[in-house]
């Protein structure tokens, strides 16, 4: 097919019914980019011979070297097919535009998948026929479910069943059936989870109605009949699943360039067997058999003991296997010429003589397949027939999407109607969603590129001059060596002098938005409001107020290139210029501010966990590096940049591979200077446990964890009891951090309303987040009720009974999994769930000092102590701090409370902090390690090496399952983040690339080892000696963090190896 001009593609954008926006999603290395290559070949963008090898959309050099996609990239494709308007009408050619987004499969780049899926209406999900459903396959299927995209399943790499696993067609059919069941089981689990949640909500609503009616009438009889009428609405899940007879499953081999659907074979056999196509489609997959005598289709129960093959095996797979046998089979792998001739005749395919004589059997095989079952036809026909147009998709998807968006009740009905009913005229409101910002070098923008075939006059003269000079030099060389000096001088020309190349100017990078328009028509020069991800239409003028921007350019995304557009109608995926400095990562563009909609609350799958401190090799380049980091953060949806109080510039990324890509971009594109990276900063948590072999308590009279602290002036004394919280309470607090934030936001709002103008440091952030988290967080009453139940149901619940109304604070940062409990006689502290003001009233002018004036200081000290624990200044979790007494001793000097508070504030904070830390150390302290959930697929040959690498890095195997019909094992394990750096590279080296780990952050886990443990019982001393021969791993982790933070590292620092240490330079 010839190359399609951008003008032709732009004209197709105007017909929304003929546009399809699709993204290609799959696990890493399941063949997304190779599949895309076959589609690009149909548009003449690349040669069909190179499809599957060139990986056109992997435009970055590191993507080509590593062989994996790292950035999602979009391209617009033209497709023409014959369609009948009516069953009896003659088919007429119809043109379509397919906007295709190729996304990465590696777990580190899952944020790219999140951004790509929001722009599309349908998804093509690829699954490797051998590896089956992997971790990322489940993730991308969940993404299609959450975004309500219609999926199309492609079972790719079927050639591996023939060439690698040497399966027969019958075995392959059983294998493919099981694979399809696995994929459908994943979809079924999503549906079941959603229905269970809906069922629970429905029951709660019914209970509320019954209770309300009972309270109103005090008659249960009437309410039962009322509740009985309101039946729970059942929903059919038939439409969810993939089934070949529905034509939403494609069988393919992207590298060999073939694919087919059941419908294609049904039309092939329609005339031959005399069975109508629509009936043939239904029976070609499943337990249906063809009677060879009567040519009738039989079910399993009519076989009567005959050993017949299923129709899919007999009519489909055996034909595909025959082509492989004819072209690449035989004893010497050169194929079977007689069988090949028979196949080409029956399929009416002509193979050109030079291909038939070629020594490469793959060339012959791909030629036969591309003539018989071209991949692009099967895939694009299925995309156009099975996946919805933007108009149909928006009507189905957007009502739910808008209902879940922040402040959905305040969206203007005109905006909502324009989006749902797909209005695209100039007068309709414009709504567009920018999913990410892409950095493009200035020279690659279309306005700076010269169109082919256009030369300026100066350029033409320069080319002519060079040609004349070359011709003269060639003539000179023929006439022999020049001996005469005069001739030499005559031939010297100043025109040929080339000045030395100047130092290359740093190329400017421009940020282009990767966007989708939902309603209206957008043109260059239009002005729009840019809405940040935390914007809510309930308060449109809240700070920061949305800014107005003018659209400077619109682009059609064509993989590595951009093409300029004048306007884009609704339903199109496009690039937009003019947003630099206005959108950080994602945002919504709207033509009006009042009643606008915020679509930018995308659920990011990958949270950045790897922190690395960066510094320039040359200190003078520091400003360059900071500017580069800011640009990088804007152009990468998952990278974040922080500057620590210590002055470190820290980059947060999703994983090791993601970090390497970010560092390469920073050095080569954004900062353009040499940058060195420090050791990764791994997050830890600290906690306490009740262990069997704990040290004796410091104060036996008071009990374990109780400390009486006295301030340095002896004026304030405080009794603090520290206890470990039950595990279920800690988990509940971690899960409901958003609800706790909301509690504080509401209390702070109340305090402000009463005229308390004291500022709370962290509170501004909480207020901004409030509307975004409102939909999924619990109300204050629900939180109180559920937390009360959890406190009174776990292990050791006696100590926590009835304390729900005495909770004074959560920490650290007012949302963490630690509790401050007021157990003072007078109940001095303001309580969270009783609606008390967060801060007490300031003392009046002549008022005497009493304990209540110090409550906010104690709460602040608690927050500090939880933020920086005793072991290595890392955040604490799972600790309850009970304030049993707070006493103030009157001084002889009769000074007012206001005068004394200034002096006492620092003393109280320091005393409380130290008391909490002492109480913490009275228990058995533990470090909590950040853990990765690690999934590895490996064959039996390398299984031992996989285990070797895992155990050396303190990994723990959770499960090991063999995939039926394949030599592959799937190993699930947990690995500490601290040990994960270099893990993927080591795994690849040790297994020669056969095992590829996928690491997903899985939270924190207690390392069950006391960092301060030394042998003290007689048995331990006898076994291990005073030095404790076994390494204390917890102490090693703790010391490394202390060393990095510049804290004192305790313990023997002697040399272990007895080698002579030289101290003199000689």
């Amino acid at each position: 097919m010839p190359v399609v001009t951008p003008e032709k593609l732009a004209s197709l954008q105007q017909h929304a019914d003929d546009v399809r926006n699709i993204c290609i999603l799959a696990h890493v290395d399941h063949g997304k980019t190779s599949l895309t290559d076959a589609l690009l070949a149909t548009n003449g963008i690349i040669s069909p011979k190179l499809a599957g090898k060139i990986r056109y959309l992997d435009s970055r050099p590191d993507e080509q070297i590593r062989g994996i996609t790292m950035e999602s990239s979009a391209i617009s494709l033209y497709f023409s097919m014959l369609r009948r308007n009516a069953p009896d009408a003659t088919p007429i050619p119809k043109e379509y535009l397919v906007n295709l987004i190729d996304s990465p499969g590696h777990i580190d780049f899952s944020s790219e998948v999140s951004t790509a899926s929001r722009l599309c209406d349908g998804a093509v999900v690829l699954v490797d026929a051998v590896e089956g459903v992997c971790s990322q396959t489940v993730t991308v299927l969940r993404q299609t479910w959450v975004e309500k995209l219609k999926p199309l399943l492609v079972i790719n790499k079927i050639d591996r069943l023939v060439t690698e696993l040497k399966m027969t067609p019958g075995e392959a059919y059983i294998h493919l059936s099981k694979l399809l069941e696995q994929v459908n089981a994943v979809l079924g689990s999503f549906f079941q989870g959603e229905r269970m949640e809906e069922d629970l909500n429905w029951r709660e609503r019914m209970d509320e109605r019954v209770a309300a009616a009972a309270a109103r009438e005090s008659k249960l009889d009437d309410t039962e009949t009322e509740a009985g009428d309101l039946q729970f609405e059942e929903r059919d899940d038939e439409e969810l699943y993939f089934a070949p007879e529905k034509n939403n499953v494609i069988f393919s081999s992207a590298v060999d360039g073939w694919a087919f659907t059941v419908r294609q074979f049904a039309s092939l056999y329609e005339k031959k067997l005399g069975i109508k196509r629509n009936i043939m489609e239904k029976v070609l997959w499943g337990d249906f058999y063809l009677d060879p005598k009567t040519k009738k289709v039989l079910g399993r129960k009519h076989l009567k003991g005959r050993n017949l093959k299923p129709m899919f095996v007999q009519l489909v797979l055996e034909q595909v296997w025959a082509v492989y046998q004819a072209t690449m089979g035989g004893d010497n792998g050169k194929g079977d010429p007689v069988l090949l001739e028979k196949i080409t005749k029956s399929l009416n395919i002509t193979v050109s003589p030079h291909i038939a004589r070629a020594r490469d059997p793959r060339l012959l095989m791909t030629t036969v397949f591309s003539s018989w079952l071209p991949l692009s036809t099967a895939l694009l026909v299925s995309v156009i027939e099975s996946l919805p147009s933007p108009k149909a998709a928006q009507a189905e998807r957007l009502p739910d999407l808008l209902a879940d968006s922040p402040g959905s009740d305040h969206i203007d009905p005109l905006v909502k109607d324009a989006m749902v009913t797909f209005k695209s005229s100039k007068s309709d409101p414009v709504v567009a969603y920018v999913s990410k910002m892409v950095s493009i070098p200035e020279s690659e923008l279309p306005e700076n590129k010269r169109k082919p075939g256009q030369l300026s006059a100066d350029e033409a003269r320069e080319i002519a001059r060079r040609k004349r000079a070359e011709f003269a030099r060639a003539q000179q060389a023929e006439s022999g060596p020049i001996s005469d000096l005069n001739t030499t001088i005559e031939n010297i020309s100043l025109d040929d002098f080339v000045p030395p190349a100047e130092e290359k100017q740093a190329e400017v990078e421009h940020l282009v938005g990767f966007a989708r328009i939902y309603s209206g028509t957008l043109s260059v020069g239009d002005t729009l409001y840019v809405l940040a991800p935390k914007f809510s239409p309930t308060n449109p003028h809240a700070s920061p107020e949305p800014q107005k921007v003018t659209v400077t350019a619109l682009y059609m995304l064509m993989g590595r290139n951009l093409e300029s557009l004048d306007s884009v109608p609704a339903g199109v995926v496009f690039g937009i210029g003019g947003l630099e400095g206005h959108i950080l990562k994602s945002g919504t563009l709207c033509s009006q501010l009042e009643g606008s909609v915020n679509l930018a609350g995308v659920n990011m799958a990958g949270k950045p966990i790897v922190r690395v401190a960066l510094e320039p090799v040359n200190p003078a380049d520091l400003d360059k590096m900071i500017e580069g980091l800011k640009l990088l953060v804007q152009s990468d949806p998952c990278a974040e940049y922080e500057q620590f109080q210590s002055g470190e510039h820290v980059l947060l990324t999703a994983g090791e591979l993601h970090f390497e890509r970010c560092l390469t971009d920073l050095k080569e594109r954004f900062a353009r200077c040499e940058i060195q990276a420090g050791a990764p900063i791994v997050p830890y948590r600290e906690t306490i446990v009740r262990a069997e072999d704990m040290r004796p308590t410091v104060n036996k009279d008071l009990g374990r964890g109780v400390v009486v602290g006295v301030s340095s002036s002896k004026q304030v004394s405080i009794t603090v009891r520290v206890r470990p919280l039950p595990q279920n309470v800690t988990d509940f607090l971690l899960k409901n951090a958003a609800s706790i934030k909301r509690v504080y936001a509401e209390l702070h709002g109340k305090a402000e309303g009463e005229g308390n103008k004291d500022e709370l440091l962290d509170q501004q952030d909480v207020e901004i987040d409030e509307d975004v988290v409102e939909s999924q967080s619990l109300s204050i009453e629900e939180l109180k009720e559920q937390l009360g139940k959890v406190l009174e149901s776990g292990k050791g619940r006696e100590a926590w009974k009835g304390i729900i109304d005495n909770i004074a604070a959560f920490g650290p940062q007012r949302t963490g999994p630690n509790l401050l409990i007021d157990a003072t006689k007078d109940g001095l502290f303001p309580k969270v769930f009783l609606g008390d003001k967060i801060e007490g009233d300031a003392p009046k002018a002549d008022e005497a000092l009493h304990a209540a004036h110090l409550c906010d200081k104690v709460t602040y000290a608690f927050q500090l102590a939880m933020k920086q624990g005793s072991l290595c200044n890392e955040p604490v979790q799972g600790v309850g701090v009970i304030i049993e007494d707070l006493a103030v001793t009157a001084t002889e000097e009769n000074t007012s409370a206001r005068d004394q508070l200034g002096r006492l504030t620092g003393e109280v904070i320091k005393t409380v902090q130290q008391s909490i830390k002492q109480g913490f150390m009275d228990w058995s302290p533990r470090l909590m390690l950040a853990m990765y959930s690690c999934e590895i697929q490996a064959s039996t040959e390398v299984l031992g090496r996989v285990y070797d690498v895992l155990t050396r890095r303190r990994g723990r195997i959770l499960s090991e399952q063999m995939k039926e019909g394949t030599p592959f094992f799937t190993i699930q394990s947990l690995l500490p983040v601290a040990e994960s750096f270099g893990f993927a590279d080591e795994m690849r080296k040790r297994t020669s690339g056969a095992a590829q780990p996928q690491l997903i952050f899985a939270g924190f886990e207690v390392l069950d080892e006391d960092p301060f443990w030394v042998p003290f019982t007689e048995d331990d001393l006898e076994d291990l000696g005073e030095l404790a021969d076994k390494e204390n791993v917890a102490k090693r982790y703790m010391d490394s963090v202390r060393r990095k933070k510049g804290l004192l590292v305790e313990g023997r620092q002697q040399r272990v190896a007895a080698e002579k240490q030289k101290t003199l330079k000689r």
Side-chain angles (χ1 to χ4, degrees), residues 178-470:
K178 286 182 177 171
L179 180 58
L180 199 57
E181 279 176 26
Q182 286 176 358
V183 178
N184 284 335
V186 173
L187 288 175
S189 67
F190 299 154
F191 176 77
Q192 195 179 359
E194 192 175 89
R195 294 303 283 158
M196 285 168 75
E197 193 178 333
E198 284 177 10
D199 181 40
L200 185 69
N201 294 341
W202 177 79
R203 285 173 195 279
E204 284 177 358
R205 282 201 307 274
M206 295 314 300
D207 289 346
E208 282 170 17
R209 280 193 189 184
V210 170
R216 197 170 55 245
E217 298 176 16
S218 314
K219 286 179 186 175
L220 284 169
D221 300 334
D222 302 335
T223 57
E224 277 173 15
T225 54
E226 185 189 333
D229 297 337
L230 296 160
Q231 287 295 318
F232 177 57
E233 184 196 345
E234 291 296 340
R235 260 173 45 202
D236 184 21
D237 60 346
E238 186 62 34
E239 290 303 310
L240 295 178
Y241 300 117
F242 295 116
E245 60 268 24
K246 289 188 203 164
N247 285 300
N248 58 6
V249 179
I250 300 166
F251 303 91
S252 85
S253 167
V255 76
D256 291 344
W258 61 265
F260 65 85
T261 57
V262 166
R263 180 172 289 179
Q264 271 177 283
F265 274 95
S267 55
L268 279 174
Y269 287 113
E270 185 181 15
K271 289 175 186 169
K272 198 170 186 182
L273 297 174
I275 303 171
K276 286 184 181 176
R277 194 178 84 170
N278 55 352
I279 297 168
M280 193 71 182
E281 279 176 30
K282 288 172 187 168
V283 296
L284 208 48
W285 174 269
D287 280 340
F288 297 102
Y289 304 84
L290 188 68
D291 190 324
K293 292 175 184 173
T294 60
K295 292 282 187 284
K296 284 186 177 176
V297 178
L298 308 173
R300 183 181 280 277
K301 59 184 177 184
H302 299 297
L303 283 179
K304 295 174 185 169
R306 283 182 293 177
N307 188 19
L308 295 180
K309 294 173 186 171
M311 287 178 71
F312 191 76
V313 175
Q314 189 183 349
L315 302 180
V316 180
L317 292 183
E318 283 187 353
Q319 319 312 316
V320 174
W321 259 242
V323 174
Y324 276 102
Q325 180 64 27
T327 54
M328 295 178 73
D331 299 330
N332 54 1
K334 290 280 182 358
D336 185 343
V338 179
L339 180 61
L340 180 66
E341 193 178 339
K342 190 179 169 187
I343 288 169
T344 50
K345 272 187 182 174
S346 65
L347 294 174
N348 202 11
I349 295 170
T350 51
V351 178
S352 57
H354 77 278
I355 291 173
R357 287 196 300 270
R359 290 185 179 180
D360 182 10
R362 277 189 63 82
L363 181 63
L364 191 59
M365 182 256 295
T366 50
T367 308
V368 172
F369 271 129
S370 61
S371 307
W372 178 38
L373 300 171
L375 187 148
S376 53
T377 308
L379 188 63
L380 291 173
V381 168
S382 298
V383 162
I384 281 154
E385 290 184 347
S386 302
L387 299 184
S389 66
K391 191 173 184 177
Q394 284 186 205
E396 198 177 313
R397 283 176 71 203
L398 285 184
D400 291 339
L401 201 75
L402 293 174
D404 291 342
S405 69
S408 54
D409 300 337
H410 295 79
I411 299 171
D412 188 339
L414 281 173
V415 173
K416 198 178 277 190
D417 183 52
M419 290 175 74
V420 174
T421 57
F422 198 77
K423 293 185 176 172
S424 57
S425 69
K426 287 288 282 180
S427 57
D428 291 312
V430 174
V431 177
Y433 167 64
V434 180
S435 73
K436 67 170 186 171
M437 301 296 283
V438 186
S439 181
I440 308 284
E442 191 168 34
S443 60
E444 289 186 19
L445 293 174
E447 51 264 34
N448 299 326
K449 274 189 172 180
R450 190 180 63 233
K451 287 187 179 174
Q454 289 183 350
L455 285 179
S456 66
D458 291 339
E459 284 171 330
R461 276 196 290 274
E462 177 64 19
I463 289 168
R465 190 189 61 72
R466 279 187 196 156
K467 282 188 176 173
R468 280 200 303 274
E470 278 173 27

Side-chain angles (χ1 to χ4, degrees), residues 20 38 53 65 72 129 138 162 229 258 264 271 300 383 394 419 493 564 640 741 750 840 882 998 1013 1049:
R20 299 288 183 276
K53 301 177 186 75
I65 292 163
S72 50
V138 177
V162 188
D229 297 337
W258 61 265
Q264 271 177 283
K271 289 175 186 169
R300 183 181 280 277
V383 162
Q394 284 186 205
M419 290 175 74
S493 167
S564 287
E640 290 178 18
K741 266 189 180 186
K750 198 184 291 182
I882 302 160
Q998 289 273 310
W1013 183 85
V1049 177

Side-chain angles (χ1 to χ4, degrees), residues 706 718-723 799-809 819-831 834 851 855 858-859 880-887:
V706 181
I718 184 164
T719 308
V720 175
R721 181 187 293 274
V722 178
R723 276 174 176 270
W800 306 101
K801 272 191 177 170
I803 62 121
I804 187 75
D805 286 330
N806 292 336
I807 294 175
L819 299 177
L820 178 67
I821 294 149
D822 176 17
T824 54
K825 286 176 189 170
D826 303 328
L828 301 168
F829 289 79
K831 312 298 186 296
L834 297 181
C855 288
V858 174
T859 308
V881 177
I882 302 160
I883 307 293
E884 295 190 338
D885 187 36
L886 178 60

Side-chain angles (χ1 to χ4, degrees), residues 665-686:
D665 277 355
L666 201 57
K667 286 179 182 174
E668 294 174 5
R669 290 172 62 189
F670 300 128
R672 294 180 183 275
C673 65
E674 278 302 306
I675 292 168
Q676 60 191 26
I681 303 164
V682 180
Y684 291 90
R685 295 285 181 271
E686 299 179 19

